[in-house]
Amino acid sequence: MTIAEAMKLEGKIQGKIEGKIEGKIEGKEEATILFVQKLVKVGMDAATIAQTFELPQTKVEEIIAEM
């Protein structure tokens, strides 16, 4: 294997890893949004959600505003 081939392979592997990480992060963000929306529907307010689940209150308020 030449150096160029090794570098190309390394780039492909790194791209796959970064893609998987990005997908997991996006999945967690989507789950958090759905979770917050359901908690609001059952009567929890932004401050309680943020404190209970250790989320930034501004993020919780943004999710609620977009509902």
Side-chain angles (χ1 to χ4, degrees):
M1 176 180 291
T2 65
I3 294 174
E5 290 172 334
M7 291 177 71
K8 185 177 178 181
L9 180 60
E10 182 181 348
K12 285 182 180 180
I13 292 169
Q14 185 175 356
K16 286 183 179 182
I17 291 170
E18 288 175 1
K20 286 182 180 181
I21 291 170
E22 186 175 317
K24 286 183 180 182
I25 291 171
E26 289 176 6
K28 287 181 181 181
E29 288 177 6
E30 289 176 22
T32 299
I33 291 169
L34 292 172
F35 186 63
V36 168
Q37 290 173 342
K38 290 189 184 297
L39 291 172
V40 168
K41 288 180 182 178
V42 298
M44 289 183 79
D45 61 277
T48 304
I49 295 169
Q51 183 179 15
T52 304
F53 300 100
E54 298 178 356
L55 298 168
Q57 185 166 344
T58 54
K59 180 67 177 173
V60 174
E61 290 171 349
E62 287 175 14
I63 294 169
I64 293 171
E66 292 175 7
M67 289 178 64

